[in-house]
Amino acid sequence: MNLHEYQSKRVFAHYGIPIPEGEVATTPAEAQAVAEQLGGPVVVKSQVLVGGRGKAGGIKLAGTPEEANARAEEILGMDIKGLTVQQVLIDPAADIQSEIYLGAVLDRAKRRVVLMASSEGGVEIEQVAAETPEKIITVAVHPYLGLRDYQARYLAEGINLPKEYTRQFIKIAKGLYQAYMESDASLAEINPLVITGSGELLAVDGKIGLDDSALFRHPDLEAMRDTAAEDESEIEARENDLTYIHLDGEIGCMVNGAGLAMATMDIVKFYGGEPANFLDIGGGAKADRVAAALRIILSDERVKAVLINIFGGITRCDEVARGVLEAIDTLDVKVPFVIRLVGTNEEEGRRIIAEANLPTATSLAEAAQKAVAAAKGETL
Amino acid sequence: MSILVDNDTRLIVQGITGREGAFHAEQMIEYGTNVVAGVTPGKGGEWAVGNTPVFDTVAEAVEATGANASIIYVPARFAPDAVIEAADAGVDLVICITEGVPALDMVKVRAYLDTLGTRLIGPNCPGLITPGEAKVGIMPGHIHTPGNVGLVSRSGTLTYEVVYALTARGIGQSTAVGIGGDPIIGTTFLDVLQLFEDDPATEQVVLIGEIGGTDEQKAADFIANHMTKPVTAFIAGQTAPPGRRMGHAGAIISGGEGTAAEKMAALKAAGADVARHPDEIAEIVAGKV
């Protein structure tokens, strides 16, 4: 789960990181009121969970409250990479002297949280990593020691931060590390962290990604979830403990296990088809979860065939078969199914499927080939 | 021979009175695994799954039974504690099946285990099996058959798929190890490749990877420089769109690091045979028997 910019910055502020004193608005009139209260020029920033908002025209400067109203009018309702802007953040326009980057992320190879800093603020860190990797300075933090002052100093020196800002920088770096750990983040970045004309460091933009596995102990952060910004099918999937990702192909895939689900998509593609989704029903799925999965797959109008590939370990093939029939009974199914059930209780599962006269397959290759053929309208 | 588990494995099941723990304890016993004890705090003195004694703590279970391995089926929020408890009780091999353990908890757990030298497999993994000797995990036992192919994988059901295809061709397995798909895990590809390289019963190895991270690239380096046994590899996620998370926390492509194409190229360059789709794996392995 990702937090919006304004939510991320509020978390940062809680850990002593200075942020602009802006407010969120959902209408142009509200935007104008916020701008009046702040006084002076403001920035109107779309709050959507995608990168590249600026380039898409989702961030604009406004000199007066009336201009803030007009800019908010333009930005609210705008479509940015498929997401509709429903709220804008009105921040006082910062007097920016220079921009740096500061981020925290989990380094899988080092098995440590690392802090990264770069003198190239305001651009995506991935771009800096690709073009000028020497400009990224990192320190790895031992989980029992936490970020030490000297490590933060290494970062400051590594990016040639003028010495008069070192103390502020150390405080911000430690705040960011603490925010990361205490929120169970997977990513926390301040980009840019700016040096203002009045000699202050200020977190002008920020982003926090959270570890979904740890949300159970952060009800306050979970409450910040913006369901309006999510794909409806992905919400329904989450409520049913399914992992669903919508893609652009024509073959709906229902599989148990993430690795097998990806491998199934790969083999569909290998035989000339395009997967319509990634869908993992997880371990031990009962009939109702299987039915929910099919409902989600079939709600995608581009789906021309459905491939079900189950390798039962803790998942029982007979439960899956019952779920498939339950879904077919309750839904208006217009597309062909190809079903492959192997593993725990496979005989019973296959018997249920055979009685319903649905096409089955033994090997994964056969299943994929049949699904690709079915999607092209060939009779099985 | 085999690696990590065999007839000498004396196993504790942590969480044996829970739904998952009880079910899989029974399955493991049925397979022939030597399950010597269960642990559930507050239920010490009871019996579970037939005649398995239950203890309140792992330390007591080890003391009473001489257990040398422990498998964990407790909910995610209790799993880090369960792993540390097993390590503190002196268990050398700890297998954590539990899915959804917070990544930052695992950073701390792993840092602690490294100071003790405890080997952890997982979390979020299917466990491991030495066919005909010990099944320590949740995989369906009957699809396996004893033999000389060692398997190591980040994925559960995909491994079953490959094992099933191997067995169907009459090709047996020495040990199959599911290392788990989380960002921070206890045992990596490198560890298991080294064990297979040193195991006289393993003649060739199958490595099943996924998009995300760089563990497969490191495995490729190891294969190129330290492996004499032939390796067949497959990487799941060739069609996964960049930047989207595919279930496993590990299956993330970020910043051009960890794509299937990069990993396949690295493995190929290291001399491994790389399968294009899962059904091809058994075919390639069969050609090398």
Side-chain angles (χ1 to χ4, degrees), chain B residues 91-166:
Chain B
V91 177
D92 295 329
L93 177 65
V94 181
I95 298 96
C96 185
I97 303 299
T98 308
E99 182 179 350
V101 180
L104 293 180
D105 286 357
M106 282 312 303
V107 171
K108 290 182 189 154
V109 168
R110 179 65 208 264
Y112 182 62
L113 296 192
D114 286 347
T115 67
L116 298 180
T118 312
R119 179 183 295 287
L120 170 70
I121 296 184
N124 189 16
C125 76
L128 70 167
I129 182 169
T130 293
E133 297 198 28
K135 165 173 127 85
V136 182
I138 59 173
M139 65 292 286
H142 71 272
I143 62 171
H144 299 79
T145 193
N148 306 106
V149 178
L151 287 99
V152 57
S153 170
R154 269 165 76 178
S155 150
T157 47
L158 179 55
T159 315
Y160 310 163
E161 181 80 52
V162 175
V163 166
Y164 178 78
L166 289 173

Side-chain angles (χ1 to χ4, degrees), chain A residues 108 258-264 266 364, chain B residues 126 143-144 149-166 173 175-182 185 187-190 192-193 196 204-212 215-217 219-220 223 231-238 248 260 263-264 267 272-282 285:
Chain A
R108 300 164 56 127
L260 187 58
M262 287 191 287
T264 303
D266 293 344
L364 179 51
Chain B
I143 62 171
H144 299 79
V149 178
L151 287 99
V152 57
S153 170
R154 269 165 76 178
S155 150
T157 47
L158 179 55
T159 315
Y160 310 163
E161 181 80 52
V162 175
V163 166
Y164 178 78
L166 289 173
Q173 305 90 41
T175 303
V177 187
I179 58 173
D182 277 2
I185 53 176
T187 297
T188 63
F189 280 128
L190 292 197
V192 182
L193 288 175
F196 279 137
Q204 57 166 308
V205 176
V206 173
L207 180 148
I208 301 167
E210 280 180 3
I211 51 172
D215 283 1
E216 289 81 357
Q217 289 89 321
I223 291 166
V231 178
T232 306
F234 174 73
I235 304 294
Q238 296 164 48
H248 284 177
K263 294 181 182 214
M264 289 165 79
L267 286 159
D273 293 308
V274 180
R276 294 168 299 172
H277 61 76
D279 271 12
E280 224 176 42
I281 301 172
V285 171

